[in-house]
Amino acid sequence: MSGIAENLQKILSNIREIEKSAGRPENSVRLVAVSKFHPAESVIEAVEAGQSLFGENRIQEAASKFDEIRSKGINCDLHVIGSLQRNKVKEAVRIASCIESVDRIELLEEIEKQAAKINKKIEIFFEVHTGEESKAGFTSEEDLNEVIKRCSDGDFPHITPKGFMTMAPFTEDKNLVRKSFVTLRELREKFQKSYPNLDLCELSMGMSGDYEIAIEEGSTIVRIGTAIFGQRK
């Protein structure tokens, strides 16, 4: 068994244990293996070990890497997880099934435009600013509501909103981290009630240092890189 396979096994085992202790259903949390700065060979190792969902935030690197992987007949799913510039949206829509980091209406409009060109349905998460250290994400509930309402009204036919994403503040204070995750969960519950025609079921929150707290607070997706692939090359 390779180091990557062993690391994956450990992480997935930890996730299942945390699910159980938190009273969550088994397999209610998915793992996004964050493969940025790691080569195609490392992703292929992870796929061979059973991992199918990956996350990247550097579009040019991701496109080159995942085109190579898929050219070998290897199927795997890709989420865009980082801040996305409008001029990178076309490529992001081409290579990914989901963009987790929608933080402004202009980005949503560009995603719809590019997805329409290739007649592709793409999932998105709304990124919300929930911690002082986090720079990205919607900061105004009113702005977020306006965007979700437009989705609910059918303004973006090639986009399927699936939920919300956040990054907790970089702090040793676990109470602040937990507060960040609780804020996102409560926001999700509020918007799900307001827009029952949308399936806003996903909460992408939790990384290597805080995914236990995230799972306890309802995360459905955790994003982990270094603990799987090792330090960046």
Side-chain angles (χ1 to χ4, degrees):
M1 186 182 287
S2 75
I4 288 172
E6 284 184 13
N7 293 341
L8 269 170
Q9 197 173 65
K10 286 177 190 172
I11 294 291
L12 288 168
S13 178
N14 286 345
I15 290 171
R16 302 286 90 92
E17 286 176 17
I18 299 162
E19 280 176 341
K20 188 174 181 179
S21 64
R24 300 275 306 274
E26 189 175 358
N27 298 317
S28 59
V29 179
R30 288 189 292 157
L31 170 64
V32 169
V34 180
S35 48
K36 64 180 180 180
F37 302 120
H38 295 281
E41 291 75 21
S42 295
V43 175
I44 292 168
E45 271 189 61
V47 172
E48 290 171 347
Q51 180 64 21
S52 61
L53 177 56
F54 297 87
E56 295 268 348
N57 67 349
R58 295 160 61 93
I59 301 304
Q60 196 169 351
E61 176 196 336
S64 172
K65 185 187 308 181
F66 281 82
D67 282 348
E68 177 186 342
I69 292 163
R70 289 162 178 166
S71 73
K72 299 177 188 294
I74 297 167
N75 290 322
C76 53
D77 201 3
L78 178 64
H79 284 198
V80 171
I81 58 171
S83 181
L84 182 60
Q85 298 171 319
R86 286 181 68 182
N87 65 344
K88 300 290 176 64
V89 168
K90 180 179 180 180
E91 196 74 330
V93 166
R94 182 181 72 82
I95 62 174
S97 65
C98 178
I99 296 173
E100 291 198 17
S101 44
V102 173
D103 59 358
R104 59 200 187 278
I105 187 67
E106 295 83 7
L107 186 58
L108 204 63
E109 290 169 342
E110 187 66 23
I111 292 168
E112 170 62 31
K113 176 183 171 184
Q114 297 301 334
K117 285 182 181 178
I118 59 173
N119 194 28
K120 178 177 179 176
K121 276 268 192 179
I122 189 157
E123 295 179 352
I124 61 104
F125 297 170
F126 301 103
E127 183 173 4
V128 181
H129 175 99
T130 60
E132 290 308 308
E133 299 295 328
S134 174
K135 296 177 182 177
F138 285 95
T139 55
S140 159
E141 195 172 314
E142 290 75 19
D143 289 347
L144 182 56
N145 181 68
E146 181 185 337
V147 171
I148 296 175
K149 183 180 186 303
R150 286 191 59 187
C151 290
S152 177
D153 290 344
D155 287 3
F156 307 107
H158 294 86
I159 290 172
T160 305
K162 293 299 292 182
F164 302 86
M165 180 261 231
T166 198
M167 291 180 66
F170 297 104
T171 174
E172 296 296 314
D173 187 338
K174 291 185 177 181
N175 289 327
L176 284 178
V177 172
R178 190 176 298 276
K179 182 182 176 185
S180 167
F181 295 148
V182 169
T183 296
L184 193 70
R185 187 188 72 233
E186 291 177 345
L187 203 63
R188 190 273 304 272
E189 290 166 357
K190 179 177 180 178
F191 281 115
Q192 187 68 86
K193 286 177 183 175
S194 298
Y195 299 99
N197 64 316
L198 298 178
D199 181 15
L200 302 172
C201 58
E202 300 280 12
L203 284 177
S204 177
M205 54 189 198
M207 299 190 293
S208 292
D210 55 24
Y211 71 90
E212 180 172 355
I213 299 171
I215 293 170
E216 290 170 354
E217 295 302 338
S219 177
T220 63
I221 290 179
V222 294
R223 311 179 301 269
I224 298 174
T226 304
I228 297 169
F229 295 106
Q231 293 297 325
R232 297 169 181 173
K233 304 292 183 186

